[in-house]
């Protein structure tokens, strides 16, 4: 995971702090419940990002011939292609 759970909690707290400052918003539920939902959604997305990264790297590692080296422009293009295919396949 690219961001720790502590950082996700901190970011969700910053979002809720901003919500508290807005008088145009009215809440039907406790703001902490909203913060927890925001944190959960962020963690779910980060998990999917990790899965897409692992899938793209796995596909690139499975190339038997002409395997591009990581860091080259060819590798980056193929990585991005496989990463986006995974994300599209999972409607993200």
């Amino acid at each position: 995971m690219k961001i720790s759970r502590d950082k996700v909690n901190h970011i969700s707290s910053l979002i809720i702090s901003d919500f508290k400052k807005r008088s145009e918003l009215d809440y039907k539920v406790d703001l902490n419940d909203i913060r927890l939902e925001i944190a959960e959604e962020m963690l779910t997305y980060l998990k999917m990002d990790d899965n897409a990264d692992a899938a793209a790297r796995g596909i690139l590692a499975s190339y038997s011939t002409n395997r591009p080296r990581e860091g080259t422009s060819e590798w980056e293009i193929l990585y991005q292609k496989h990463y986006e295919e995974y994300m599209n396949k999972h409607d993200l």
Side-chain angles (χ1 to χ4, degrees):
M1 188 174 299
K2 296 176 183 171
I3 300 176
S4 71
R5 187 173 186 88
D6 288 342
K7 288 181 181 176
V8 168
N9 287 332
H10 179 69
I11 292 168
S12 65
S13 295
L14 291 175
I15 292 170
I16 292 301
S17 295
D18 185 60
F19 283 2
K20 288 178 181 176
K21 296 175 187 172
R22 297 173 182 247
S23 61
E24 68 270 16
L25 299 176
D26 186 26
Y27 306 102
K28 305 273 187 215
V29 295
D30 184 44
L31 285 177
N32 191 50
D33 291 341
I34 296 172
R35 185 191 67 76
L36 293 173
E37 187 66 30
I38 290 169
E40 188 63 33
E41 289 296 322
M42 290 174 68
L43 290 170
T44 299
Y45 181 81
L46 290 169
K47 179 74 175 166
M48 290 300 293
D49 183 64
D50 286 347
N51 291 343
D53 178 70
R57 289 178 183 277
I59 291 170
L60 288 172
S62 71
Y63 283 11
S64 59
T65 59
N66 296 332
R67 183 184 310 172
R69 289 182 40 191
E70 185 171 347
T72 62
S73 60
E74 182 183 6
W75 188 92
E76 292 291 334
I77 291 168
L78 290 171
Y79 172 85
Q80 195 64 34
K81 175 187 167 216
H82 294 303
Y83 178 90
E84 289 176 9
E85 284 176 355
Y86 183 91
M87 294 299 259
N88 288 336
K89 185 177 176 182
H90 292 87
D91 295 328
L92 295 172

